[in-house]
Amino acid sequence: MTTPATIYDVDAIYVDRNALLIRDAATLLNRELTPETIARLVRRAIGNQADLFPIRALRRVYERVLPQIFEPDAAIRARVEGLRPNVATITLGEYHQFLDASERRIAFPEVAAVILTKAYGEDILNEPYAAAALLLKKIFDTVGEEGNG
């Protein structure tokens, strides 16, 4: 076991944005976010770098890492911008399931992956989780623009 550093630079942490793909999120985040789930996510995203930080750095490390897992960067935003969802096969029942799960504070319900797959195809599940909220918003915006059609 390594001894944690006494001087540390959380800005130097490399975060693997692909540590949590949409495909994985449907399983891992299909519940309320707990401290254990957050710890697993951080460990996946930074790997053995976690062994270098003392426990007192927990908050600073998490504040650095979690936004990079959950929030899209410019590259993800650009990639999502170029996509057009096909909403023709998404059902009202799936939308209601999504709303119900959101109301129960489920971070990423399985139905979200179903909706994303129907709208963008199976390959969308290989995108970083940080893209999920933007992709879902695009779907619901498209539905709103098309009206009751």
Side-chain angles (χ1 to χ4, degrees):
M1 194 62 139
T2 29
T3 305
T6 53
I7 298 174
Y8 48 90
D9 180 9
V10 295
D11 293 330
I13 297 173
Y14 168 75
V15 179
D16 180 3
R17 284 185 167 273
N18 290 317
L20 181 63
L21 301 178
I22 293 172
R23 175 180 315 282
D24 304 325
T27 304
L28 189 62
L29 300 179
N30 191 16
R31 59 188 63 86
E32 284 190 57
L33 284 179
T34 63
E36 296 82 10
T37 303
I38 298 289
R40 250 183 261 123
L41 286 174
V42 169
R43 184 65 176 200
R44 282 175 81 162
I46 67 173
N48 292 339
Q49 294 174 91
D51 298 338
L52 303 175
F53 292 94
I55 191 71
R56 69 178 182 272
L58 178 109
R59 181 176 175 192
R60 289 187 54 220
V61 169
Y62 280 29
E63 286 173 348
R64 165 91 168 109
V65 174
L66 291 174
Q68 292 185 58
I69 296 171
F70 292 119
E71 298 171 14
D73 62 4
I76 290 172
R77 287 182 186 284
R79 198 162 50 246
V80 168
E81 183 62 34
L83 298 174
R84 297 287 168 250
N86 175 3
V87 298
T89 61
I90 299 169
T91 68
L92 188 56
E94 289 161 338
Y95 175 68
H96 289 164
Q97 288 174 31
F98 178 79
L99 290 178
D100 180 56
S102 297
E103 194 172 90
R104 290 183 286 127
R105 297 187 170 280
I106 294 176
F108 191 76
E110 288 181 30
V111 71
V114 170
I115 291 170
L116 288 170
T117 301
K118 284 184 169 187
Y120 299 103
E122 187 75 24
D123 287 343
I124 205 68
L125 300 178
N126 297 321
E127 290 294 324
Y129 175 74
L134 289 175
L135 292 165
L136 287 165
K137 181 180 180 332
K138 234 179 156 150
I139 291 168
F140 299 133
D141 285 352
T142 299
V143 169
E145 289 169 8
E146 291 181 6
N148 296 330

